[in-house]
Amino acid sequence: MSVRRLDPVQPTAPFKFNAENAAWAKKTIAQYPAGKQASAVIALLWRAQEQNEGWVSRPVMEYIGDMLSMAFIRVYEIATFYSMFQLSPVGKKAHIQVCGTTPCMLRGAEDLKKVCQRKIHNDPHHLNADGSLSWEEVECLGACVNAPMVQVWKDTYEDLTPASFEKLIDDLAAGRAVKPGPQIDRQHSMAFGGATALTDKSLYSKQRTFTRVEAPPPPPPAAPTAAAPAPVAAPVVAAVAAPANAPVISRVAKVETTPAKAAPVKKAAPAAKPAAAGPELLKKPRTGSKADDLKLIWGVGPAFEKLLNKVGIWHFDQIASWNAADIKHVDALLKGFHGRIARDEWVKQAKKLSRGWRPENSIGDKPGKK
Ligand code: FES
């Protein structure tokens, strides 16, 4: 990067915006809050550079400084910092900025510079013989993916080779129309040779629709066996004490199928969960149903799903029924993952999933979202 200084030869005549630019400047400055007009300095310098044949002279900077009530040194600082501002006269047809930063350098920027030296001038910031072209090396211009590249005024020309760059310079010098962007057969910055991902055309078809997956109906209650006592209306959940050294499974749901001589059951299981019962934890998925895909809960991955199964959680409706005490209980079982349940709103997500919601119902939605 070269040192950026004001040109030693400066015009003696003062600079002034033409009528159109003066009206534009007035409108632009008015867009800023009172006392912040200096924020318009870059926009005004750029406009002045366009009017002043592509460069900002000292009279230009001082005119802008006066207009914005800025100390001249502040305007000099800005103009000498940004390579978008030219501090010396440039080619009338094109001033070519060649990116020389690493990605462009690795892909041939040095060869592009040699083309400039051969076709324009050996040294940057010098005009060619008829004053129509000039060039310089600049730092990254933000089109690295299409390296190597150059910028001319507001346009970039990318994926250049020495041959295509020579043609570009010839076209600019001759005043022929040139096409900005990649100079090879690729669209914008897509991969060489075409897209390699998301190539399924139906993804972009308005025909593509999603079908809502309804939750399967709950299984019918098991018919009482001949040996079972008639009054038992529903599967009975019996508490089973966990071994002292394996506190993970705290309560196991079990369908009572013992004959009448087993301990008599006086009442059907209460619909409401007793406050002290704790969350329902199962050794395996309920009889007749498969484990739910707990990975559908946002934040639960395969490893987390295994852990949940290990502590006795297999179904969305188990999670959907948790109260604050249950969450605390399960949180303690999920060592190392404290707070996940509340933070990721598992209960809310599980309620939605147990009602039949599935991610494919709504792209970008997650079960916790209403
Ligand atoms: S390195 Fe050349 S555009 Fe970024």
Side-chain angles (χ1 to χ4, degrees):
M1 192 71 191
S2 57
V3 176
R4 290 173 54 82
R5 296 213 170 98
L6 301 199
D7 195 283
V9 183
Q10 293 289 333
T12 49
F15 174 84
K16 196 169 183 302
F17 269 143
N18 59 31
E20 185 194 344
N21 286 344
W24 170 88
K26 196 172 165 199
K27 213 165 137 192
T28 301
I29 296 167
Q31 290 171 350
Y32 294 87
K36 305 288 181 195
Q37 283 73 18
S39 300
V41 64
I42 288 185
L44 265 62
L45 276 171
W46 183 259
R47 192 78 165 209
Q49 177 168 270
E50 286 178 334
Q51 183 182 315
N52 196 49
E53 299 188 319
W55 72 296
V56 287
S57 60
R58 183 193 289 270
V60 166
M61 294 180 228
E62 294 177 357
Y63 175 75
I64 301 297
D66 276 337
M67 195 171 243
L68 298 173
S69 304
M70 291 173 74
F72 291 162
I73 184 64
R74 297 283 172 238
V75 186
Y76 302 157
E77 283 168 353
I78 291 161
T80 55
F81 180 80
Y82 293 107
S83 62
M84 64 194 278
F85 297 119
Q86 298 303 320
L87 304 174
S88 297
V90 294
K92 291 200 172 24
K93 291 188 175 165
H95 175 69
I96 298 169
Q97 295 182 301
V98 183
C99 172
T101 303
T102 313
C104 283
M105 189 264 284
L106 291 173
R107 288 180 55 83
E110 289 300 314
D111 293 334
L112 300 189
K113 276 162 58 185
K114 284 182 191 143
V115 171
C116 288
Q117 287 173 319
R118 197 169 64 248
K119 290 190 79 80
I120 301 173
H121 195 284
N122 187 59
D123 301 314
H125 299 290
H126 283 71
L127 301 174
N128 65 346
D130 67 1
S132 62
L133 300 171
S134 55
W135 75 279
E136 68 176 312
E137 180 182 341
V138 293
E139 299 300 330
C140 180
L141 288 167
C144 327
V145 73
N146 291 13
M149 57 80 68
V150 303
Q151 181 167 327
V152 180
W153 311 134
K154 291 176 180 169
D155 289 320
T156 57
Y157 301 85
E158 304 145 19
D159 293 316
L160 290 163
T161 61
S164 62
F165 186 41
E166 284 202 37
K167 182 174 179 313
L168 176 69
I169 293 175
D170 290 344
D171 287 344
L172 289 166
R176 288 191 285 268
V178 289
K179 179 181 85 73
Q183 302 299 301
I184 58 168
D185 182 23
R186 80 154 135 180
Q187 194 180 3
H188 306 305
S189 55
M190 74 185 295
F192 274 124
T196 56
L198 300 173
T199 52
D200 178 357
K201 287 200 170 34
S202 70
L203 287 170
Y204 312 102
S205 159
K206 291 190 178 148
Q207 303 305 314
R208 183 152 177 155
T209 56
F210 295 93
T211 312
R212 177 171 289 278
V213 178
E214 297 298 343
T225 60
V232 178
V236 176
V237 175
V240 176
N245 61 351
V248 176
I249 305 295
S250 64
R251 191 163 63 83
V252 179
K254 184 177 163 194
V255 177
E256 184 59 82
T257 56
T258 48
K261 66 180 181 179
V265 177
K266 295 205 170 133
K267 282 197 244 169
K273 186 165 52 176
E280 181 190 22
L281 299 175
L282 308 169
K283 270 185 178 167
K284 55 185 183 181
R286 292 191 195 102
T287 311
S289 54
K290 287 198 305 190
D292 287 327
D293 184 0
L294 300 181
K295 295 186 294 303
L296 292 179
I297 294 175
W298 191 79
V300 174
F304 216 154
E305 184 182 48
K306 265 191 199 156
L307 177 60
L308 289 169
N309 292 162
K310 193 175 162 195
V311 302
I313 299 157
W314 301 87
H315 301 289
F316 295 134
D317 63 3
Q318 284 178 274
I319 299 169
S321 70
W322 289 348
N323 57 26
D326 296 336
I327 290 172
K328 200 169 163 195
H329 182 99
V330 178
D331 227 357
L333 298 176
L334 303 177
K335 293 185 181 68
F337 296 99
H338 294 303
R340 282 275 188 105
I341 302 171
R343 193 167 60 246
D344 290 341
E345 301 184 310
W346 284 15
V347 174
K348 194 167 153 193
Q349 293 193 56
K351 279 182 182 162
K352 201 165 170 181
L353 287 159
S354 58
R355 285 199 302 270
W357 184 93
R358 289 296 178 270
E360 60 270 30
N361 299 154
S362 175
I363 293 170
D365 194 359
K366 64 176 188 179
K369 230 165 125 186
K370 286 204 171 133

